[in-house]
Each structure stands twice: as structure tokens, then as C-alpha cells.
Amino acid sequence: MLARLIQAAALVIAAVVLTGCSQFVGDNRHNVPLPKGLVDQMAAIGSSPTEPMMIRVFKESSELEVWKRTSSGQYALLKTYPICKWSGALGPKIQEGDYQSPEGFYDVTPALMNPKSSYFLSFNVGFPNKFDQAWGRTGSYLMIHGDCKSVGCYAMTDDGIKELYAMVRESFRGGNQSVQLQLLPFRMTEANLARHAASPHAPFWRNLKEGTDIFDRTLQLPAVDVCEKRYVFNRTGAALLDPNGTCHVAPLSTMAAL
């Protein structure tokens, strides 16, 4: 009995020693600080960890961009990460089990953060959103996460998600309520749309381009809503639109011209 107690005590001591060598205190991976170099990069573009941010994903080139709001009020590109793995093909997610990584405009909120992920860290992209629900699309637990495996998610490796998670966390700590995700099939150029013109998803991609064009032109996040089962951007009026109803409110650009 005494030998067993000694052995158990030795195991506890070893565990404590190993924990002391870790970067975490207990399971505190979700609170690992941002690297100083990344904070310096933010300062160099006139931003900071608590400023709003936006994430853009491009499936075809397997890239993820992080954009931060700067002191000018506009957004600037902070950093581009390689996507280690996404699944399916170009095009939106349709139904549970199709192994398709989603496309569209999404909002990550604090409730979608997953600090206890089995993929090191993760956050839910918010699928299905209002647009997906209007089309009857199904799926659950669609994440941006660590590791390099995907069954409908975007896998960023553990090192990648460590930085991404920390940036989203710090943006929320700055009082921001959400982080916009623009999940895209490719860079939304006319050349790329022409190259994929025969795809059944071409009208959907053309709709996504309306929103990305606003951002590219203004370097401001577009306000996103859904009506007539399509995305609409920068609409006037405070009321949310019916995703299946008529788009009866004119866009801001049209109203300004009247």
C-alpha cells in the first residue's frame, strides 16, 4: 500500500513539473497572449488588438486574410494565413453530411467561440445563417479550427488557430459584438467569375461579389441582410428584412442619388 502511495505521489509531482514547462496554466490555451510581433504589425498599420476585424477566406487559393480597422476608420490587410485543409469543392454547403465547407457572409459572435475544442481551439462560422435557412440548407458545427483535417471546416493548424483565436478574442474584449466572415470560393474578380461561368453556383457567386465589391471600394464592412433568398448590402431602414420577402428597401447608394 505504501509503495502505491509513493508511486501516486511521484506521478502527481511529475504532472506538476510538466505543467510548469507548459505555456498554459491548466487548460488556459484560449487566453494565450498575442505574439508581440503581431501586435507590432497592428501598430504599424494604425490598429490595435481591440479594434474591429474582418476575416476573408478564399477556397481556391487556400488563403485566409485578417483585416483590421485602422485609425483612418478604414480596414487594412494585417496578415494572410495558409489554410491547411478545407473539404468539398467550390460552392456553398447544401446539407448536413455533404462534407462541404460553407461560403457566404457570416458573423462570429462571442457565443460561437470554442475554447475547449478537440482541434486545439476553434470558433463556429455561424452556419446556417439567414441566407442558408431561406434555402433550407442544413449543417452543424462548421468551424475554423486547428489541426489539418476537415469534414466541412477550415483547418488552420494549431499555430494558425492560436493567433486567429486570440485576435478574435481581443476584438471582443474591445467591445465589438461580432467579426464578419467573408467565406469565398476565390478572389471575386471578373476574370475568375468568367472562368467559372458554367458553374451552377455562378449566380450565387455574382451575388457574393456585390458585397466584396463594396468592401474593396470603401474598405468598410458592408451591412448584410437577406431578402428574396439573396444577400443584400447596405440597405436603409433599421428593420430586418424577410429572407423570403420582397426587397422593398432601396440600397443606400440608390437613395443617395435621389
Side-chain angles (χ1 to χ4, degrees), residues 19 51 69 91 97 114 117 146 163 165 208 253:
T19 300
E51 285 294 321
R69 193 178 70 183
N114 184 17
S117 174
E163 287 192 359
Y165 189 99
L208 295 185
S253 56

Side-chain angles (χ1 to χ4, degrees), residues 59-253:
K59 277 184 176 177
E60 193 169 51
S61 56
S62 292
E63 294 174 292
L64 182 150
E65 294 179 344
V66 174
W67 293 71
K68 289 287 290 184
R69 193 178 70 183
T70 69
S71 54
S72 71
Q74 295 181 313
Y75 281 70
L77 178 63
L78 175 68
K79 188 171 180 177
T80 301
Y81 295 84
I83 298 172
C84 191
K85 182 73 174 178
W86 55 272
S87 60
L90 299 184
K93 183 173 184 63
I94 304 299
Q95 63 184 18
E96 186 86 56
D98 63 6
Y99 300 106
Q100 185 76 0
S101 298
E103 295 173 9
F105 285 79
Y106 297 87
D107 286 310
V108 177
T109 63
L112 296 180
M113 302 292 278
N114 184 17
K116 306 296 184 183
S117 174
S118 58
Y119 288 97
F120 190 70
L121 290 166
S122 65
F123 51 87
N124 196 308
V125 305
F127 181 97
N129 64 8
K130 190 174 179 180
F131 176 93
D132 303 316
Q133 292 170 21
W135 284 93
R137 293 174 179 172
T138 58
S140 55
Y141 305 111
L142 280 303
M143 304 279 186
I144 294 176
H145 62 61
D147 210 323
C148 194
K149 303 171 185 176
S150 172
V151 286
C153 300
Y154 292 96
M156 301 301 301
T157 75
D158 290 354
D159 286 340
I161 194 61
K162 187 188 301 183
E163 287 192 359
L164 287 168
Y165 189 99
M167 280 191 281
V168 175
R169 178 197 71 212
E170 293 304 309
S171 182
F172 290 151
R173 286 179 177 174
N176 303 297
Q177 299 302 305
S178 63
V179 170
Q180 186 175 103
L181 299 183
Q182 299 181 8
L183 305 181
L184 307 169
F186 38 71
R187 295 188 179 275
M188 306 305 287
T189 64
E190 288 293 341
N192 281 339
L193 285 170
R195 188 161 52 89
H196 293 284
S199 169
H201 305 303
F204 168 65
W205 292 335
R206 178 66 64 177
N207 184 204
L208 295 185
K209 189 175 187 299
E210 295 175 34
T212 61
D213 281 354
I214 291 172
F215 179 79
D216 291 341
R217 183 175 66 252
T218 66
L219 296 179
Q220 300 278 0
L221 297 187
V224 183
D225 208 337
V226 181
C227 57
E228 296 176 5
K229 298 174 74 172
R230 65 181 176 87
Y231 287 109
V232 289
F233 304 95
N234 289 355
R235 310 299 285 192
T236 58
L240 295 177
L241 299 175
D242 179 349
N244 296 295
T246 302
C247 296
H248 57 278
V249 182
L252 285 174
S253 56

